[in-house]
Amino acid sequence: MEKVIKLSLIISIAINAVLIGLVSTQVEPRLTLFAGKNWTGLNLSLLSQDRSELEPEGFDNMAQSLCAVGTWLFYDLPYYNANETAYMNYLHAPNGTSIYCSNFDSVFSNKTSSIRFVGSPKSITAETLTLYAKTYFQGQSEYFTGDYSSPSLSETVSSLIITGSSPWTVFDRKGYSGTSWCIVPSGSNETTPAFVVDIRSQGIPHGTIRSFKKGCLNSTAVEVNIQKISPGLHRGGILY
Ligand SMILES: *[C@@H]1O[C@H](CO)[C@@H](O)[C@H](O)[C@H]1NC(C)=O
Ligand SMILES: *[C@@H]1O[C@H](CO)[C@@H](O)[C@H](O)[C@H]1NC(C)=O
Ligand SMILES: *[C@@H]1O[C@H](CO)[C@@H](O)[C@H](O)[C@H]1NC(C)=O
Ligand SMILES: *[C@@H]1O[C@H](CO)[C@@H](O)[C@H](O)[C@H]1NC(C)=O
Ligand SMILES: *[C@@H]1O[C@H](CO)[C@@H](O)[C@H](O)[C@H]1NC(C)=O
Ligand SMILES: *[C@@H]1O[C@H](CO)[C@@H](O)[C@H](O)[C@H]1NC(C)=O
Ligand SMILES: *[C@@H]1O[C@H](CO)[C@@H](O)[C@H](O)[C@H]1NC(C)=O
């Protein structure tokens, strides 16, 4: 009798494990930085967390390699290069759920002083739009999951990142009016974010995004197709 109960308990745990595996497809962004190359040495792990400074963690200018899930931004200076344009690297870890490891290149090795993740803290595939005050995702940021009529960064927006597969329409007037552009992530059906390193290069002047809607709703909108980037680390900020 006891054996039967135990067995049925084990079976139900197994079934639950399978169900949880199937149901919770949500994967959170996470990152481990390593002081050594090839993901060795001292490490610092972050789960859906930003760090405006790494000095208090004892990890300033120390990272030589990383392992990550999701999309992450690495900056040469504290406060996400807000005070000064400098080197930065942006990472899309390929294939969503599995961990991706990489060395920083020789220029960016031992440089990282601040870090932030991109998109939803709960799911790396959620449909989100993040606006940044400076090109290459530097400076202040503002994160959205739906329509918004007057983002506070309006006057300065210079770059943006879309996660998930939905396009977004941006307008140069508040209240979803004026000239509009529909920004369409393109490429395969993998969940690669659309990285717009400089909106001006897509014909959208800096500081003109005054409202936006999720989806490609407006037939008068100029369609902007964003090429998906190859997985891995990419150079930004001051280019080298
Ligand atoms: C890192 O790994 C690569 C490939 O396995 C190897 O060639 C290289 O020597 C390693 N570097 C260090 C510093 O361990
Ligand atoms: C990080 O360092 C700790 C302490 O040395 C170690 O136990 C842990 O396994 C390391 N984590 C990774 C992902 O290497
Ligand atoms: C950089 O900017 C942040 C806020 O954007 C500010 O709090 C910080 O004091 C500045 N640091 C320096 C060194 O100017
Ligand atoms: C993506 O991840 C899954 C699960 O970890 C793995 O089975 C698959 O081989 C990976 N695909 C690629 C292209 O890396
Ligand atoms: C990074 O720092 C480590 C430890 O101080 C050092 O051994 C390594 O040579 C440095 N790498 C680069 C590229 O500066
Ligand atoms: C479509 O764009 C035009 C002009 O760009 C604007 O007047 C209109 O309100 C927009 N319609 C919707 C549904 O967004
Ligand atoms: C989308 O993914 C499926 C399953 O991995 C694949 O068979 C299909 O070819 C992909 N479609 C595109 C347009 O990449």
Side-chain angles (χ1 to χ4, degrees), residues 94-99 190:
N95 194 17
T97 55
S98 54
I99 291 181
E190 264 227 44

Side-chain angles (χ1 to χ4, degrees), residues 53 78-84 139-140:
E53 296 177 279
Y79 300 100
Y80 322 116
N81 294 357
N83 302 314
E84 199 184 323
Q140 274 189 289

Side-chain angles (χ1 to χ4, degrees), residues 4-160:
V4 172
I5 292 170
K6 262 192 190 156
L7 189 63
S8 68
L9 189 65
I10 287 167
I11 288 171
S12 87
I13 288 171
I15 288 172
N16 279 335
V18 168
L19 283 180
I20 288 165
L22 289 177
V23 172
S24 72
T25 49
Q26 295 205 332
V27 177
E28 296 167 324
R30 59 196 158 93
L31 169 75
T32 304
L33 289 178
F34 295 90
K37 284 206 173 293
N38 294 352
W39 25 109
T40 60
L42 283 177
N43 66 67
L44 172 71
S45 289
L46 302 175
L47 178 67
S48 305
Q49 287 166 316
D50 296 339
R51 286 287 183 273
S52 60
E53 296 177 279
L54 283 173
E55 180 133 41
E57 316 269 351
F59 227 84
D60 193 32
N61 296 329
M62 265 184 68
Q64 294 201 83
S65 61
L66 64 90
C67 292
V69 170
T71 305
W72 291 83
L73 308 173
F74 306 89
Y75 304 88
D76 186 2
L77 301 174
Y79 300 100
Y80 322 116
N81 294 357
N83 302 314
E84 199 184 323
T85 296
Y87 296 130
M88 68 84 63
N89 272 200
Y90 54 105
L91 170 81
H92 167 56
N95 194 17
T97 55
S98 54
I99 291 181
Y100 175 82
C101 296
S102 178
N103 288 307
F104 286 111
D105 65 29
S106 58
V107 171
F108 205 73
S109 230
N110 298 343
K111 282 275 196 292
T112 303
S113 294
S114 56
I115 301 169
R116 55 189 168 187
F117 69 94
V118 180
S120 164
K122 299 230 170 67
S123 166
I124 58 170
T125 56
E127 293 180 345
T128 73
L129 168 68
T130 307
L131 305 175
Y132 299 89
K134 300 172 66 178
T135 59
Y136 283 104
F137 327 121
Q138 298 171 105
Q140 274 189 289
S141 69
E142 223 179 339
Y143 154 80
F144 304 91
T145 56
D147 305 354
Y148 205 79
S149 165
S150 55
S152 59
L153 278 186
S154 278
E155 303 301 320
T156 52
V157 175
S158 302
S159 58
L160 61 86

